[in-house]
Amino acid sequence: MIELNMKKFKTIFYPIYILTIILVIAMSFNIYESLNLLQKLGWFKYFSDLPFLGRNLLLFLCGLMIIELIIQNTKVFRFRRA
């Protein structure tokens, strides 16, 4: 049962992590063009809005890590009790 839940967890969260890593790397190669594209798409209006975008990305990643930590610790706790 524990292995089945962890497989479901990994199939959901690992693609999110990998996609986030790929997007960060892709944006890092040519940051100026990436920012211009995001500005044209309407994600932000002025370059002074960038710290808020970075903050939201960090909060998103921290939320994912907290969820992962909670799920793994509950699995370990259940495994030790059994």
Side-chain angles (χ1 to χ4, degrees):
M1 176 95 178
I2 292 173
E3 291 179 23
L4 179 63
N5 288 334
M6 287 307 291
K7 285 183 182 179
K8 287 181 184 177
F9 173 78
K10 288 179 182 179
T11 58
I12 293 171
F13 278 90
Y14 283 6
I16 295 172
Y17 286 143
I18 291 170
L19 180 64
T20 305
I21 290 167
I22 291 171
L23 288 175
V24 168
I25 290 172
M27 284 187 63
S28 298
F29 282 129
N30 195 348
I31 192 74
Y32 183 73
E33 291 297 322
S34 298
L35 291 176
N36 281 335
L37 177 66
L38 291 175
Q39 194 173 20
K40 287 178 186 176
L41 292 174
W43 282 37
F44 66 94
K45 218 175 205 185
Y46 305 106
F47 284 111
S48 61
D49 296 339
L50 290 178
F52 297 110
L53 290 174
R55 181 198 65 192
N56 292 339
L57 178 63
L58 286 175
L59 288 174
F60 172 71
L61 292 174
C62 288
L64 287 178
M65 288 188 282
I66 289 170
I67 292 170
E68 181 180 14
L69 183 68
I70 290 170
I71 290 174
Q72 286 182 350
N73 283 333
T74 56
K75 300 300 177 190
V76 169
F77 182 70
R78 287 183 190 169
F79 182 70
R80 287 184 181 172
R81 287 184 59 191

